[in-house]
Coordinates of all heavy atoms in Angstrom, one line a residue:
Chain B
G508 N 12.8 -6.2 17.3 CA 11.7 -6.2 16.3 C 11.5 -4.8 15.8 O 11.0 -4.7 14.7
A510 N 13.9 -2.4 15.9 CA 15.3 -1.7 15.5 C 15.3 -1.5 14.1 O 14.8 -2.3 13.3 CB 16.3 -2.6 16.0
N537 N 37.7 -24.5 20.0 CA 37.6 -25.6 19.1 C 38.6 -26.7 19.2 O 38.2 -27.9 19.1 CB 37.7 -25.0 17.6 CG 37.5 -26.0 16.5 OD1 38.4 -26.3 15.8 ND2 36.2 -26.5 16.4
Q597 N -3.4 -2.3 5.6 CA -2.1 -2.7 5.0 C -1.6 -4.0 5.8 O -1.9 -4.3 6.9 CB -1.0 -1.8 5.3 CG -1.1 -0.4 4.8 CD 0.0 0.5 5.3 OE1 1.1 0.4 5.0 NE2 -0.4 1.4 6.2
V606 N 13.1 -17.2 17.4 CA 13.3 -18.5 16.6 C 14.2 -19.3 17.4 O 15.4 -19.0 17.9 CB 14.0 -18.0 15.2 CG1 14.4 -19.3 14.4 CG2 13.1 -17.1 14.5
A630 N 15.0 -12.5 17.8 CA 15.9 -13.0 18.8 C 16.0 -14.5 18.5 O 15.1 -15.1 17.9 CB 15.3 -12.8 20.0
R651 N 27.6 -12.2 21.1 CA 26.7 -11.4 22.0 C 27.4 -10.1 22.5 O 26.6 -9.1 22.5 CB 26.5 -12.3 23.3 CG 25.5 -13.4 23.1 CD 25.5 -14.4 24.3 NE 25.3 -13.9 25.5 CZ 24.1 -13.6 26.1 NH1 23.0 -13.9 25.4 NH2 23.9 -13.0 27.2
M678 N 13.2 -27.3 24.8 CA 13.0 -26.3 23.8 C 11.8 -26.6 23.0 O 11.0 -25.7 22.6 CB 14.2 -26.2 22.8 CG 15.3 -25.3 23.3 SD 16.7 -25.3 22.0 CE 16.0 -24.1 21.0
L696 N 17.1 -36.5 13.8 CA 16.8 -35.2 14.6 C 15.5 -34.6 14.2 O 14.7 -34.3 15.1 CB 18.0 -34.1 14.5 CG 17.7 -32.8 14.9 CD1 17.7 -32.7 16.4 CD2 18.7 -31.7 14.5
K737 N 24.1 -36.5 -8.7 CA 24.5 -37.6 -7.7 C 25.9 -37.4 -7.2 O 26.0 -37.6 -6.0 CB 24.6 -38.9 -8.6 CG 24.9 -40.1 -7.7 CD 23.9 -40.6 -6.8 CE 24.2 -40.4 -5.4 NZ 23.2 -40.8 -4.5
Q758 N 17.6 -48.1 -23.4 CA 18.5 -48.8 -24.2 C 19.8 -48.0 -24.6 O 20.8 -48.3 -24.5 CB 18.0 -49.5 -25.4 CG 18.9 -50.6 -26.0 CD 18.9 -51.9 -25.2 OE1 17.9 -52.4 -24.7 NE2 20.2 -52.3 -25.0
E774 N 27.5 -47.1 -7.3 CA 26.7 -48.4 -7.3 C 25.4 -48.1 -7.7 O 24.7 -47.3 -7.3 CB 26.7 -48.9 -5.9 CG 26.0 -50.1 -5.7 CD 25.9 -50.6 -4.2 OE1 26.9 -50.5 -3.5 OE2 24.8 -50.8 -3.7
V789 N 24.6 -54.4 -12.0 CA 23.4 -53.8 -11.4 C 22.9 -54.7 -10.2 O 22.8 -55.9 -10.5 CB 22.2 -53.7 -12.4 CG1 20.9 -53.2 -11.6 CG2 22.6 -52.7 -13.5
D812 N 7.4 -47.2 -17.9 CA 6.7 -47.2 -19.2 C 6.2 -45.9 -19.8 O 5.9 -45.8 -20.9 CB 5.4 -48.1 -19.1 CG 5.8 -49.6 -19.1 OD1 6.9 -49.9 -19.6 OD2 5.0 -50.4 -18.4
H828 N 11.2 -32.7 -1.9 CA 12.3 -31.8 -2.0 C 12.6 -31.3 -3.5 O 12.1 -30.3 -3.7 CB 13.6 -32.6 -1.4 CG 14.7 -31.6 -1.0 ND1 15.4 -30.9 -1.9 CD2 15.3 -31.4 0.2 CE1 16.3 -30.2 -1.3 NE2 16.2 -30.5 0.0
F843 N 5.0 -32.6 -16.1 CA 5.8 -32.9 -14.9 C 5.9 -31.8 -13.9 O 5.6 -31.9 -12.7 CB 7.2 -33.1 -15.4 CG 8.2 -33.7 -14.4 CD1 8.2 -35.1 -14.2 CD2 9.0 -32.9 -13.7 CE1 9.1 -35.6 -13.2 CE2 9.9 -33.4 -12.8 CZ 10.0 -34.8 -12.5
S845 N 3.6 -29.4 -13.5 CA 2.3 -29.3 -12.8 C 2.0 -30.4 -11.8 O 1.4 -30.1 -10.7 CB 1.1 -29.2 -13.8 OG 1.4 -28.4 -14.9
A881 N 6.7 -21.9 4.7 CA 7.8 -21.8 3.8 C 8.1 -23.2 3.1 O 7.9 -24.2 3.8 CB 9.1 -21.3 4.4

Side-chain angles (χ1 to χ4, degrees):
Chain B
N537 183 246
Q597 293 176 74
V606 176
R651 284 168 56 87
M678 274 183 82
L696 169 68
K737 177 73 253 180
Q758 193 72 47
E774 175 185 313
V789 175
D812 287 334
H828 194 294
F843 190 85
S845 303

